[in-house]
Amino acid sequence: MSRVDGQVNPTATQIATRVARIRGAMINSTAGTVTTRQKATGRDPGVRGSTWVSRTKYPRPPENAIQGVVLHAIKELGDGTEKFDVPEVGELEAQWIGWRSGVDKDEPEVSGTELEKYKGLMKGVTSKVTVFYVFGLDQSMGIPSWETNAETDIFADQIPTITDIQPTCAIWPSHPPRGHPYAEPLTLLHPLASPCTAKSWKGAPPMWIATGGGERLLDAAKVVARDAVRDGCIVKWTEWERMPHLWLLTCKDWWQGRKAVELWAEACTELVEKEEGLDVEGSMFGLDGEAIRIEVGCLTALARSEMLSGMRKKVEAMKAWTGGKGVGRMTKSQL
């Protein structure tokens, strides 16, 4: 097995094998109800090793100012076709996470109050950078790379929660039923749900983007980077040949995973602390470990109108899901 910088350098066959394994695991993990899966993913697995974690809750504010800000953003960025129920403002659960030095990888979590853990975390802080992490995913499945990269990514052709394998529960199907678990289908075209649909990126902060060349969402990332550069933003683009979605987490034993995380950490510091001299940069990392420069402003010839047309066609075909048979496994034709 070849190596790059001391790390495993996977072959195309090894990449394809791992993609197939992860895709199968993801499909089989959706056998339960949405309620069951939400409870499972909400469990705290505990903390060990070189990590400080301080858990906190921000109470619901007495006024609805936050709700007003969000609704205003939805209106200003959208085109009026989005449909959604206005949720109540609730408390926010979050975690402060930092590096805990000088401990073994199996060292148990420090005992004490969450405030004491936070103070311990802050004693080890050496940078002014704070990363605010939220998780999101483009979902219309209407961009060209969704089809062209079907064999190289971990996503199935269909969302399991709107197929016959999905058992019903108290929260899904929704009331009233809709065609997608995240939002009303047309709302998936909104920039807050699919950033690639944004009309303008003027005034946006510097961006660092890492995307796998095998991702079904590749075109969406390219459109964001290209349009941001055209609107005058600083974008650091890195593309990794044949890598699937989430390869930074699922392929940490390969050089691509290690290298991408290193560059991510460097970008977090550089984009915040370097006030001048930031330039637009684009790199394509091949399987051999070599990187070539590419023009970020010319990443794709996909016109915004063409992209939106394909996305709209997909979401308009999504029918309200009212319940499945609960079989619990997808067939080969659905993968």
Side-chain angles (χ1 to χ4, degrees), residues 117 145 164 170 188 190 221 252 263 272 275 289:
K117 295 175 186 177
S145 58
D164 280 348
L188 297 175
H190 193 282
K252 291 187 288 188
L263 294 179
V272 172
E275 297 180 359

Side-chain angles (χ1 to χ4, degrees), residues 149-150 152-154 212-216 218 240-245:
N149 285 352
T152 56
D153 206 2
I154 61 177
E215 294 201 49
R216 301 188 81 168
L218 178 61
W240 307 74
E241 184 180 359
R242 294 188 68 89
M243 288 296 102
H245 189 67

Side-chain angles (χ1 to χ4, degrees), residues 182-311:
Y182 288 173
E184 288 287 349
L186 279 176
T187 305
L188 297 175
L189 302 180
H190 193 282
L192 293 180
S194 298
C196 62
T197 66
K199 298 175 183 176
S200 174
W201 288 96
K202 289 182 179 179
M207 306 177 191
W208 181 81
I209 299 175
T211 186
E215 294 201 49
R216 301 188 81 168
L217 299 173
L218 178 61
D219 282 338
K222 285 184 174 182
V223 167
V224 169
R226 178 200 66 192
D227 291 356
V229 167
R230 291 181 178 180
D231 285 337
C233 302
I234 297 296
V235 177
K236 306 286 188 179
W237 170 270
T238 62
E239 185 176 339
W240 307 74
E241 184 180 359
R242 294 188 68 89
M243 288 296 102
H245 189 67
L246 290 181
W247 91 94
L248 289 85
L249 300 178
T250 59
C251 304
K252 291 187 288 188
D253 55 322
W254 295 346
W255 73 264
Q256 293 95 331
R258 296 289 184 91
K259 182 67 174 179
V261 170
E262 290 176 4
L263 294 179
W264 189 0
E266 291 174 6
C268 287
T269 300
E270 180 187 30
L271 299 185
V272 172
E273 297 184 345
K274 192 173 182 180
E275 297 180 359
E276 297 180 358
L278 290 174
D279 296 314
V280 175
E281 295 178 358
S283 299
M284 163 70 85
F285 290 86
L287 291 182
D288 58 2
E290 296 296 321
I292 61 172
R293 292 293 183 184
I294 53 178
E295 290 294 326
V296 184
C298 302
L299 281 173
T300 177
L302 180 62
R304 186 172 180 275
S305 58
E306 179 186 353
M307 177 192 69
L308 286 173
S309 176
M311 294 174 69

